[in-house]
Each structure stands twice: as structure tokens, then as C-alpha cells.
């Protein structure tokens, strides 16, 4: 299996302006100017291409991040090992504050996990519904005030 990386960068401007840059694994750059309202659903389609996000949001693991590497951990064996596409979504505002979340699309669900700074910290892995995924993305896109 070859590893390929594609990046989507969304630049947020005052008064709701956005510029989306898609860079494919082979270096192709594509620019779009979507509306702010369309962006969460647009990114959700990219993250969940197989449309496996369910209808409910629920916690499937809560505990030390390092334990997720233990092959005996049930969520690691049954769900994380089935990851078909990994998306790391990072959102930062002009002041440097931001959030980062890892999204794993498996054959049966979309999982979301906060990205802790160290393996010693605790984390939460949860399945997200299609609506929950859109809400998560919407909350991560910063609002930019004034021109």
C-alpha cells in the first residue's frame, strides 16, 4: 500500500471570505472560493468520502493516549486499526490559538480524537454522526472580525 498525502488549507478572511487550496499527492494545486456556510459540509464530504458516519455521537474510549497503541485495547484492535483515511484538522486564529483533532474514517464509522501534546495525556475517542462531523468542522473554522 502506498502512502499518499493530500492537503486542504482554508484561509479565512474578514466578512466571511474564504480561500480553499487543495494540494494533491502529485503536487497539483487547485484553488476555490466557497462560502463560509458551505465549507463545513464541503470538508465533511472530503473527510467521510465513503459516507460511513452514523446517526449518533458517542464516546468509545476515554483514557491515556499511550494505551491506544496497546494491541489489547479493544478500540485500537477493532476500530482504529480499520482506519481507511486519516485527517488531521488544525485550526488556528491570527493570535496563534487553535485546536487540532484527528479524524479517522473506518469502513463503518468516522472517529474523532483530540490530539494531545504528549502520549502521557488522556484523550477521548468518539464516533461522530454525519451532523456531528459538520458541527465539529463548523466550530473549528475561526471567525475573523472586521476588515
Amino acid at each position: 500500500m502506498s502512502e499518499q498525502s493530500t492537503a486542504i488549507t482554508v484561509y479565512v478572511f474578514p466578512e466571511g471570505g474564504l480561500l480553499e487550496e487543495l494540494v494533491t499527492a502529485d503536487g497539483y494545486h487547485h484553488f476555490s472560493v466557497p462560502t463560509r456556510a458551505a465549507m463545513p459540509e464541503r470538508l465533511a464530504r472530503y473527510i467521510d468520502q465513503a459516507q460511513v458516519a452514523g446517526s449518533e455521537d458517542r464516546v468509545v474510549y476515554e483514557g491515556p493516549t499511550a494505551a491506544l497503541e496497546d494491541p489489547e485495547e479493544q478500540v485500537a484492535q477493532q476500530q482504529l486499526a480499520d482506519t481507511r483515511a486519516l485527517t488531521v484538522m488544525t485550526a488556528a486564529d491570527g493570535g496563534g490559538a487553535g485546536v487540532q483533532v484527528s479524524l479517522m474514517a473506518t469502513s463503518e464509522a468516522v472517529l474523532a480524537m483530540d490530539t494531545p501534546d504528549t502520549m502521557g495525556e488522556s484523550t477521548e475517542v468518539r464516533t461522530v454522526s454525519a451532523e456531528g462531523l459538520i458541527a465539529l468542522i463548523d466550530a473549528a473554522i475561526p471567525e475573523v472580525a472586521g476588515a
Side-chain angles (χ1 to χ4, degrees):
M1 171 171 76
S2 68
E3 292 185 26
Q4 296 186 350
S5 180
T6 300
I8 295 178
T9 304
V10 178
Y11 303 93
V12 183
F13 299 96
E15 299 178 22
L18 296 180
L19 174 64
E20 175 190 69
E21 178 185 17
L22 169 70
V23 181
T24 64
D26 59 356
Y28 174 74
H29 288 249
H30 178 77
F31 294 92
S32 300
V33 185
T35 65
R36 170 65 175 83
M39 199 72 233
E41 190 171 324
R42 184 179 177 105
L43 289 175
R45 283 193 311 268
Y46 177 77
I47 292 165
D48 184 16
Q49 292 180 18
Q51 298 181 344
V52 294
S55 59
E56 70 174 298
D57 300 298
R58 66 183 177 85
V59 174
V60 294
Y61 173 84
E62 190 169 7
T65 304
L68 291 172
E69 293 186 353
D70 182 351
E72 300 298 316
E73 175 56 52
Q74 186 176 6
V75 74
Q77 280 183 3
Q78 296 177 355
Q79 291 174 300
L80 296 178
D82 185 39
T83 298
R84 307 299 170 96
L86 170 65
T87 301
V88 179
M89 183 173 65
T90 304
D93 63 17
V99 297
Q100 186 175 66
V101 64
S102 297
L103 299 157
M104 290 76 62
T106 71
S107 61
E108 298 180 358
V110 175
L111 304 169
M113 180 178 88
D114 294 332
T115 308
D117 291 331
T118 67
M119 292 298 281
E121 293 183 52
S122 284
T123 192
E124 179 181 272
V125 178
R126 57 199 178 279
T127 59
V128 291
S129 64
E131 288 180 10
L133 179 59
I134 291 169
L136 178 69
I137 295 165
D138 188 45
I141 299 173
E143 297 289 338
V144 179

